[in-house]
Amino acid sequence: MLIKNTTHSILYFLKCMRMDIIFIVVYAVIMGTVDHNTFLKNIAIPLPVTTITGTVVALLLAFRTAQSYDRWWEARKVWGEIVNDSRTITRQFKQFLPAADASAELALFAERQIIWCHALSETLRLQPFSAKVQLYLDSNAIQSNNVPAGLLDRHSEQLAAVSQKFALNDNKQVQIDTTLARLNDAMGKCERIKNTVFPKSYSLLIHFLIYCLASILPFGLDDTFPLLEIFLTMIIPLMLIAVEQTAIIMQNPFENQPTDIPMTRLSDVIEMNINEIVSGKKIVAVSGNESYYIN
């Protein structure tokens, strides 16, 4: 759920980094003080060592960030496909069936597609179903280990029934079924992203190297300006950890975090668009279980 509240996003980001911030700040202050008053002041690590370590960390972080963003962007593209295909399949169902006789069938199909979008988003986030989704499932006796897949099965059953009832042209039936297959593929892509865990060893390696850099940094900096040394010992590792944390947050786009794919908002948009297609009226907004129309 991408949010526009910048303050909330910053606070969430800092909360994820709070232990690293505390540890590095304390370490920088202690080492910056001790380094000038004990035998440690005689220890000097050549600057190229620090530079090489920093370069290795930067390269690993660049690769990690790129991979995490790819996962996030793929998830966003998949939900863009879901938006488009939800509109398409509703429009196909409306146009391919006889307008005078199929209004009830269209209403059932449209409602189920709306519920599918909301159920998929809530399933991916491992949330309990909302009241609207649960009411629909209970009233239609839908019980499944994979509720979104069960709803698509109901789509297929209804498509087969209306094809026989209204003698639907084979070509039209294939077009609707193709769109339905794309929705199923999109659901599978979301499940793959959700269930594919980013290698933990890779994160541990980067984190370990950042702390190695933070440990040797005070001994590779000039001791002439103690306050500057303390500041650099804090700011450089924290910048690297901030980049790493950004990658960690982006790698899981379905975890109900402020940086998630805005699935709830997209589902509301789909609901509004589908209701407009079915009713032929402009909808001002969707609120709860109600849609507000204007003629």
Side-chain angles (χ1 to χ4, degrees):
M1 55 171 182
L2 283 178
I3 60 176
K4 296 182 178 180
N5 190 327
T6 305
T7 302
H8 189 280
S9 299
I10 293 174
L11 291 176
Y12 173 78
F13 190 74
L14 293 176
K15 181 180 178 181
C16 294
M17 292 178 55
R18 65 185 183 277
M19 295 308 298
D20 293 307
I21 292 174
I22 294 172
F23 182 82
I24 289 177
V25 169
V26 171
Y27 175 80
V29 172
I30 293 175
M31 292 306 300
T33 303
V34 173
D35 190 23
H36 295 83
N37 298 286
T38 67
F39 69 94
L40 293 177
K41 65 182 179 181
N42 297 321
I43 300 177
I45 296 178
L47 185 59
V49 175
T50 305
T51 303
I52 293 173
T53 305
T55 302
V56 171
V57 172
L59 290 174
L60 290 174
L61 279 176
F63 178 76
R64 171 67 188 279
T65 304
Q67 293 299 310
S68 297
Y69 182 77
D70 284 345
R71 280 167 62 95
W72 188 92
W73 183 239
E74 181 184 2
R76 181 61 186 86
K77 289 194 295 184
V78 170
W79 267 88
E81 295 170 3
I82 290 175
V83 173
N84 294 336
D85 288 336
S86 295
R87 296 165 179 162
T88 298
I89 198 169
T90 305
R91 187 173 63 251
Q92 288 173 334
F93 211 84
K94 180 179 181 179
Q95 293 176 349
F96 292 168
L97 299 183
D101 303 321
S103 58
E105 296 285 354
L106 175 61
L108 290 174
F109 190 89
E111 182 184 12
R112 189 184 304 114
Q113 181 58 31
I114 291 170
I115 296 298
W116 179 81
C117 294
H118 287 288
L120 178 60
S121 67
E122 292 162 4
T123 299
L124 291 173
R125 287 175 172 158
L126 303 180
Q127 291 179 307
F129 288 125
S130 60
K132 176 165 57 177
V133 174
Q134 192 62 55
L135 178 62
Y136 180 89
L137 298 178
D138 293 341
S139 60
N140 290 272
I142 297 177
Q143 296 181 349
S144 174
N145 291 326
N146 189 329
V147 170
L151 292 170
L152 290 183
D153 286 341
R154 294 291 182 96
H155 269 352
S156 297
E157 293 170 1
Q158 185 181 8
L159 177 59
V162 298
S163 297
Q164 183 176 7
K165 179 178 179 180
F166 298 105
L168 194 64
N169 180 279
D170 290 342
N171 183 49
K172 295 178 178 179
Q173 182 179 354
V174 168
Q175 289 187 52
I176 299 177
D177 191 66
T178 299
T179 308
L180 191 59
R182 291 202 301 269
L183 288 170
N184 187 72
D185 289 342
M187 179 179 67
K189 291 176 182 177
C190 290
E191 291 172 343
R192 171 175 54 80
I193 295 171
K194 173 71 175 182
N195 297 325
T196 301
V197 180
F198 206 91
K200 186 66 175 177
S201 58
Y202 195 67
S203 297
L204 293 175
L205 172 62
I206 295 178
H207 212 66
F208 173 75
L209 290 176
I210 291 175
Y211 273 93
C212 285
L213 177 62
S215 299
I216 66 176
L217 194 57
F219 305 105
L221 296 174
D222 190 357
D223 294 337
T224 307
F225 303 101
L227 291 179
L228 179 60
E229 180 183 344
I230 293 174
F231 175 76
L232 292 176
T233 303
M234 286 190 298
I235 198 66
I236 293 176
L238 286 177
M239 286 193 300
L240 296 174
I241 288 175
V243 175
E244 181 199 23
Q245 191 62 49
T246 300
I248 292 173
I249 292 174
M250 284 195 302
Q251 75 186 22
N252 297 313
F254 302 132
E255 297 297 325
N256 199 30
Q257 298 172 346
T259 53
D260 271 6
I261 302 301
M263 294 183 290
T264 301
R265 175 58 183 160
L266 291 174
S267 297
D268 288 340
V269 170
I270 292 171
E271 179 175 356
M272 184 168 59
N273 292 161
I274 288 178
N275 286 331
E276 285 183 345
I277 293 172
V278 173
S279 65
K281 300 177 181 179
K282 181 179 179 181
I283 298 177
V284 178
V286 175
S287 176
N289 296 322
E290 300 180 352
S291 299
Y292 297 94
Y293 301 88
I294 60 175
N295 294 326

